[in-house]
Amino acid sequence: MPRIWKFGRDVNTDQIVPGRFAPYMTSEAELRKYPFIEARPEFASTVQPGDVLIAEANFGCGSSREYAPQALKLVGVGAIIAPSFARIFYRNALNLGIPLFEADLSWLDDGETIELDLTNSRLNARGQSIQLPPPPSFMRDIWNAGGIVPYYREHQRFPV
Amino acid sequence: MTLTEQILSNAAGKPVRAGDVAVVNLDYVMVHDSIAPSATRILHQQLGAERVFNPERVAIAIDHVAPAANIATADAQSNLRRWVREQGITNFFDSGRGIAHQVLIEERLAQPGRVIIGSDSHSTAYGAVGAYGTGMGATDIALGLATGQTWLRVPPTIRVVARNCFNPGVGPKDLALWLARELRADGANLHSVEYHGLDFLTVGERTTLSTMSLEIGAEAGIVVPTGLPDEFPVPEWLYVDESAIYARTVEIDLSELRPQIATPSRVDNVVDLTDLDRVKVDVVYLGTCTNGRHEDMRIAAEMLRGRRISPEVRMMVVPASRDALQASIADGTLTTLLEAGATVGTPGCGACIGRHMGVLGTNEVCLFTGNRNFRGRMGSPDAHIYLASPEVAAATALTGYITDPRDISAN
């Protein structure tokens, strides 16, 4: 079963992937080793596909580096749930097709097992079914296309 | 309309208001060396585009690791130079020319009313000259390179109204840190910030504010474009509209502002410098797009002239651009800094991203004139970074512990 990885507020992209571990400095192939390499060194080696990140406000602040959400996608993060996201991170994750939900689930604990129903925007935890705020329609359109690039190639326009 | 609404309406070709979602035409797309490998790969391999939308509307800078620090970055830079030639891009600023943001302003590519997206979060910098500048990730940048457009939700605006002037030893960096203290790291998320009442600031001082706008989450940070030098003509459609609707107004009496400092490891962990306990430092680092200009170096030089920095401190100076370095040579600023014991690096981002040219070691303490003090930002995750002004940097270099510049006797 997927589990929760909990984080605090204002998680910055230097915590997600420090600048010196950028693909530019190392190589694209190594990126999956680096998510949270200093903030939570056990993360990259133990995270399982479908695991969910639950954080407090302003997740992803700081640098515009897309390799931060890219690294989370490479290790299979199923969704990120936080009361708010920093704008650039939100766009980057959206573009890559990583599901984001704006909700405060900080009452759940690190390591708890959960089930995420993306189609209905529901999270099952502690025997409860939690309704998450449904994503805006443009976000669902981008998810369904598999990211902004396939969306753009298909429609030859932005999702406006 | 707010300045943001005016600029984005012009770029959208129709009136748009806060909350509207719009496709806007881009005046420039800036890409730097760190993101160019991904952005060009997405452009060609994923989007299937062979050419950028307009080579004259693209600016490429090698600033994030300048000069190359290892074989991976050297190879990536060679590939980038070849790509720039193939695409016919003339706005190419190779290693040593400086930090993209500073260079785009010096080269007058950033101008009042323009829209510029950059592959760097501090692309809010262009608001120093009344442009709408914003940072984006590699995929958005690749789409911008392919189409000359981007899509966005027009942000509502927070208005900062400053009154009076700074006291000696206090400046724009203190204002920016005070705003982080007041608004917090996400206080301007999904908003634009407009700065009013600062016509007396130089372009460089305005750039301190515009780059730091990102650290309160702002999408753009625009200083009202009045009082700019003639090289930055303001289009007649861009002006302060008294009927504009602001999400919030923050007022500040600059004459009451004291030196501010951000303590580890959050930009909004800000206190009055006078409330800080004695902190011994190992490194003073003067540089970055926020405070690495000629005027910042000159402020430090005036305090250091005829003096020596503490033997316990290393002082690293990394100019924001070659122009800044040349101006510092021409007026003797550089000689003064070197005679005081400082070391000078190649213009560029330097150790701000923790990759080279003075990275911090375990338990080292740094007084930094840059914009971020996140854990691990400048190297070791066990280093400690304090953010402050060039004045505080110079005072601290002299004593070896974080020092109020007002406590240093005038030269």
Side-chain angles (χ1 to χ4, degrees):
Chain A
M1 287 256 284
R3 61 163 281 190
I4 290 171
W5 293 84
K6 264 191 82 177
F7 294 88
R9 62 170 292 129
D10 301 311
V11 169
N12 64 61
T13 52
D14 277 80
Q15 284 168 268
I16 302 173
V17 180
R20 65 186 189 284
F21 297 107
Y24 179 43
M25 297 295 286
T26 56
S27 80
E28 206 68 50
E30 286 179 55
L31 183 56
R32 64 173 58 242
K33 296 192 299 196
Y34 300 131
F36 296 112
I37 185 167
E38 284 158 358
R40 289 194 77 167
E42 79 284 12
F43 179 85
S45 55
T46 47
V47 66
Q48 295 296 316
D51 282 1
V52 170
L53 272 48
I54 289 180
E56 294 173 42
N58 201 31
F59 187 89
C61 64
S63 161
S64 59
R65 59 188 68 157
E66 191 175 77
Y67 55 82
Q70 180 74 38
L72 299 177
K73 186 180 177 181
L74 284 172
V75 296
V77 166
I80 310 172
I81 305 171
S84 62
F85 293 86
R87 179 193 62 98
I88 304 176
F89 184 91
Y90 186 94
R91 285 189 74 114
N92 286 342
L94 172 69
N95 287 343
L96 296 172
I98 302 171
L100 303 180
F101 293 96
E102 289 182 303
D104 185 352
L105 296 186
S106 55
W107 49 275
L108 291 170
D109 291 326
D110 193 68
E112 282 192 61
T113 54
I114 43 102
E115 277 179 312
L116 182 66
D117 173 0
L118 274 181
T119 313
N120 298 302
S121 303
R122 297 191 83 87
L123 185 83
N124 298 320
R126 298 189 189 174
Q128 301 175 45
S129 175
I130 303 157
Q131 179 67 56
L132 299 166
S137 60
F138 65 80
M139 179 179 267
R140 199 165 276 287
D141 292 345
I142 293 173
W143 290 354
N144 289 340
I148 190 76
V149 167
Y151 181 95
Y152 195 91
R153 290 204 71 156
E154 186 183 339
H155 299 276
Q156 291 299 308
R157 61 172 174 79
F158 295 103
V160 178
Chain B
M1 284 192 178
T2 63
L3 296 176
T4 288
E5 288 168 329
Q6 292 170 43
I7 297 170
L8 295 179
S9 292
N10 182 63
K14 62 176 186 185
V16 292
R17 298 279 186 169
D20 292 345
V21 177
V23 174
V24 294
N25 293 314
L26 302 170
D27 291 291
Y28 285 96
V29 179
M30 184 281 285
V31 193
H32 59 68
D33 51 321
S34 188
I35 298 302
S38 344
T40 53
R41 191 184 59 244
I42 296 166
L43 174 72
H44 298 308
Q45 293 175 23
Q46 295 185 26
L47 283 165
E50 287 184 12
R51 317 288 306 174
V52 298
F53 77 105
N54 179 348
E56 292 173 7
R57 293 288 174 179
V58 174
I60 305 293
I62 294 182
D63 61 0
H64 272 53
V65 183
N70 59 14
I71 296 167
T73 50
D75 287 346
Q77 291 178 15
S78 298
N79 291 338
L80 181 55
R81 289 184 189 100
R82 191 178 319 117
W83 182 82
V84 161
R85 280 195 299 274
E86 284 165 6
Q87 294 288 324
I89 294 166
T90 49
N91 293 309
F92 173 54
F93 308 112
D94 208 333
S95 178
R97 176 64 185 86
I99 305 171
H101 308 315
Q102 179 62 21
V103 174
L104 263 67
I105 291 171
E106 289 172 358
E107 297 282 340
R108 317 283 182 244
L109 302 184
Q111 289 277 0
R114 287 186 176 166
V115 178
I116 303 173
I117 64 169
S119 66
D120 185 275
S121 59
H122 294 111
S123 301
T124 52
Y126 312 124
V129 292
Y132 185 91
T134 200
M136 291 186 176
T139 299
D140 275 321
I141 291 296
L143 280 160
L145 289 173
T147 66
Q149 294 183 319
T150 194
W151 66 300
L152 45 75
R153 191 188 63 108
V154 179
T157 295
I158 296 172
R159 175 173 55 173
V160 175
V161 179
R163 300 192 200 292
N164 300 319
C165 287
F166 298 109
N167 283 319
V170 182
K173 183 60 161 292
D174 301 295
L175 172 56
L177 291 171
W178 179 84
L179 280 168
R181 178 180 182 166
E182 285 294 302
L183 295 175
R184 314 301 300 189
D186 61 350
N189 192 27
L190 303 174
H191 286 71
S192 184
V193 177
E194 263 178 37
Y195 297 91
H196 293 244
L198 295 161
D199 290 359
F200 60 92
L201 294 187
T202 65
V203 170
E205 291 171 321
R206 294 172 193 226
T207 313
T208 302
L209 290 174
S210 59
T211 52
M212 285 295 288
S213 301
L214 186 273
E215 302 307 328
I216 50 175
E219 201 152 332
I222 306 175
V223 183
V224 170
T226 43
L228 285 171
D230 294 342
E231 307 91 275
F232 298 98
V234 182
E236 37 51 59
W237 51 261
L238 185 63
Y239 57 92
V240 173
D241 173 1
E242 296 303 329
S243 66
I245 297 166
Y246 295 98
R248 179 178 176 186
T249 296
V250 179
E251 299 191 57
I252 168 87
D253 180 346
L254 299 179
S255 68
E256 291 183 1
L257 189 63
R258 291 184 289 261
Q260 304 288 297
I261 188 158
T263 63
S265 295
R266 298 174 53 104
V267 181
D268 59 3
N269 251 351
V270 176
V271 296
D272 282 0
L273 188 64
T274 47
D275 291 338
L276 193 70
D277 291 335
R278 187 181 165 100
V279 178
K280 193 176 175 311
V281 309
D282 303 291
V283 177
V284 170
Y285 194 106
L286 182 77
T288 80
C289 55
T290 293
N291 276 118
R293 279 168 284 279
H294 171 236
E295 55 213 279
D296 301 310
M297 291 187 275
R298 195 173 55 199
I299 286 169
E302 275 169 18
M303 293 172 67
L304 296 176
R305 182 172 298 120
R307 295 168 163 157
R308 291 282 304 175
I309 63 170
S310 162
E312 309 274 304
V313 168
R314 294 156 5 238
M315 183 174 184
M316 190 76 197
V317 176
V318 180
S321 69
R322 179 178 291 144
D323 288 8
L325 175 58
Q326 283 181 321
S328 299
I329 291 168
D331 73 355
T333 290
L334 192 68
T335 303
T336 304
L337 292 171
L338 292 171
E339 284 175 352
T343 302
V344 178
T346 307
C349 301
C352 182
I353 331 138
R355 291 173 177 173
H356 72 155
M357 219 159 21
V359 298
L360 303 179
T362 310
N363 292 326
E364 285 198 314
V365 177
C366 178
L367 189 288
F368 183 36
T369 65
N371 41 50
R372 285 192 186 129
N373 58 349
F374 299 156
R375 181 168 178 252
R377 176 74 183 173
M378 298 178 74
S380 168
D382 299 315
H384 309 278
I385 306 167
Y386 292 77
L387 303 178
S389 66
E391 290 90 336
V392 176
T396 299
L398 281 172
T399 61
Y401 57 92
I402 295 177
T403 299
D404 190 329
R406 299 170 302 178
D407 294 342
I408 301 291
S409 60
N411 248 317

